[in-house]
Amino acid sequence: MAYSDKVLDHYENPRNVGSLDKNDPQVGTGMVGAPACGDVMKLQIKVNEQGIIEDAKFKTYGCGSAIASSSLVTEWLKGKSLDQAAEIKNSAIAEELALPPVKIHCSVLAEDAIKAAVADLQSKQTGKKEAA
Amino acid sequence: MLKNHFELFGLPVRFAIDLDMLDQHFRKIQSEVHPDRFVTSTPAERLRSMQLATQANEAYQTLKHATSRARYLLKIRGIDTQEESNTAMPPDFLMLQMEWREAIEEAEDAGDVDALDHLLHQMRQQAKALHEALHVALDEQQDDSAAAEIVRKLSFIDKMRSDIEQTIAKLED
C-alpha cells in the first residue's frame, strides 16, 4: 500500500520523538494500544503555568501511519490549551495525512492518546489543588 | 438451524477443549465430505458437501488457536472483543509492550538471535498464563468482560510473537 507524502515525511523525519519526566506535575502521559495491529503509543505533554502546552513528545511502535499520526499531533499540540488539545479529532489527523480507510484506526489511536494525556494531566492538577 | 463451530465437531461450547478430539472430528468430517465421494451425487448434494467442507475448515482454524477460539466463544455469547476500537489497555501492560518492542529492536540491531529466542520464550509464557486466565474467566466465572480484555492482551502477544519469529527468520537467512 502506498503511503502519502506527508506520512512518509513524518515517518522518515519524525518530530518530537522522546520522553518527558512522567513524574513532573506539569507533564501528562497518555499510553494507548491497538490490539488489532499491536501498535503501542506513548504521548506526553508539558504545560506552562498558564496551562498552555509548551512541549510534546511521543514514542510509538507500529506502522508508518501510526508513527506519522503521533508525530503530527505533537506538532499540533504545542501552543494549545488542554481544552483545545482535547478537541483534536482523528478525522482531522486522517485528512491531513491522507490516510486510507484501513489506516484510520492509527489516527484514532493518536486521538485517544491525546485524551489520555490530557486526562492524566488534569487528574494530577486536581490532586495538586486538593493537596494545596 | 446451523450448528456453531463447537457443535459441528461435537465439542462442548467452552474455552478449554480437547485439541486431539478437535483434530479427530475434523479429519472425520473432511473424509466424509471429500469431493471423490460425490462424483455421482446430485448437484445439490455436491453443493451441500462443499459448504460443509468450507465450514469445517473455518471452524477448525477458529477453534484450533486459543485467541480466535476465545474471540469466537465471546461472539456466540454476544460480546464484541473491541480489538479494533478499544485502545485503553492497562498502563503497566502497555509499558511492558514498549519495553519488549525496544528489546526486539536492540536485539535485531545487534543481530542477537539468542536474545530474540529468549524474548520468544517469554511471549510463550505470557500466552500460557493468559490462556489459563481465559479458562477461568470463560469457563468458571462466566466473566465475559474480563475475558474480552484478556483476548485484547493476547492479540498484542500474538503479534509480538509473530514479529519476533519473523525477525529471527530474517537474521538467520
Side-chain angles (χ1 to χ4, degrees):
Chain A
M1 186 190 50
Y3 283 123
S4 72
D5 288 346
K6 278 184 180 155
V7 170
L8 283 177
D9 178 36
H10 278 281
Y11 179 66
E12 282 163 8
N13 312 292
R15 288 31 153 207
N16 308 307
V17 174
S19 289
L20 300 168
D21 176 9
K22 71 173 181 351
N23 297 317
D24 184 335
Q26 304 288 106
V27 169
T29 303
M31 286 226 13
V32 291
C37 53
D39 291 0
V40 192
M41 191 178 284
K42 183 175 81 173
L43 181 72
Q44 294 184 297
I45 50 174
K46 186 181 169 88
V47 291
N48 61 20
E49 292 301 327
Q50 287 74 43
I52 301 298
I53 297 168
E54 59 181 21
D55 201 3
K57 297 271 185 211
F58 83 94
K59 201 162 196 185
T60 293
Y61 281 91
C63 66
S65 303
I67 291 168
S69 296
S70 30
S71 170
L72 175 73
V73 297
T74 56
E75 286 195 316
W76 280 0
L77 285 167
K78 289 185 195 179
K80 282 193 163 59
S81 69
L82 291 184
D83 287 343
Q84 288 168 332
E87 276 168 18
I88 295 177
K89 289 276 172 292
N90 83 284
S91 49
I93 301 164
E95 191 182 339
E96 173 72 15
L97 295 172
L99 296 180
V102 291
K103 291 290 177 184
I104 296 297
H105 67 270
C106 299
S107 63
V108 174
L109 201 58
E111 180 189 321
D112 288 351
I114 298 173
K115 292 212 168 80
V118 169
D120 179 51
L121 190 55
Q122 281 168 340
S123 78
K124 270 185 186 177
Q125 295 190 329
T126 326
K128 199 173 66 180
K129 269 177 211 146
E130 277 167 7
Chain B
M1 251 291 273
L2 205 63
K3 287 177 181 168
N4 72 34
H5 291 348
F6 292 94
E7 291 161 354
L8 185 69
F9 298 121
L11 293 166
V13 184
R14 53 181 275 145
F15 176 72
I17 56 168
D18 184 338
L19 289 172
D20 290 333
M21 196 79 99
L22 173 67
D23 272 341
Q24 284 174 25
H25 287 285
F26 176 54
R27 272 187 246 118
K28 189 163 161 275
I29 293 181
Q30 261 188 323
S31 71
E32 280 168 4
V33 297
H34 196 279
D36 287 355
R37 286 173 174 251
F38 294 86
V39 179
T40 57
S41 308
T42 65
E45 281 171 339
R46 265 208 299 274
L47 182 66
R48 221 170 61 84
S49 72
M50 263 169 55
Q51 284 169 337
L52 187 56
T54 310
Q55 196 205 345
N57 268 322
E58 195 197 317
Y60 179 70
Q61 291 305 329
T62 305
L63 297 189
K64 194 176 148 196
H65 302 286
T67 312
S68 50
R69 183 166 69 245
R71 188 182 292 130
Y72 179 72
L73 188 53
L74 284 165
K75 196 178 143 195
I76 294 179
R77 294 186 186 173
I79 306 290
D80 176 7
T81 50
Q82 300 181 326
E83 286 158 87
E84 296 283 346
S85 56
N86 192 332
T87 64
M89 303 293 296
D92 51 344
F93 178 80
L94 290 174
M95 204 54 99
L96 264 177
Q97 300 302 307
M98 280 272 175
E99 283 167 19
W100 285 329
R101 289 278 167 197
E102 278 162 20
I104 296 171
E105 248 183 21
E106 275 168 29
E108 186 181 5
D109 291 345
D112 190 343
V113 175
D114 286 346
L116 289 166
D117 275 332
H118 180 70
L119 279 163
L120 197 56
H121 177 72
Q122 264 186 292
M123 290 311 120
R124 288 202 194 100
Q125 299 284 96
Q126 290 285 328
K128 219 175 129 186
L130 290 171
H131 293 164
E132 186 51 42
L134 268 180
H135 167 55
V136 173
L138 285 169
D139 299 339
E140 288 170 9
Q141 298 176 337
Q142 314 283 328
D143 187 345
D144 292 344
S145 72
E149 177 166 307
I150 301 169
V151 170
R152 289 196 288 277
K153 284 186 177 175
L154 264 173
S155 203
F156 278 96
I157 303 294
D158 289 350
K159 181 80 187 356
M160 192 86 71
R161 273 171 85 166
S162 82
D163 286 353
I164 297 172
E165 280 164 4
Q166 274 178 24
T167 309
I168 291 174
K170 207 169 74 187
L171 287 177
E172 283 178 339
D173 217 9

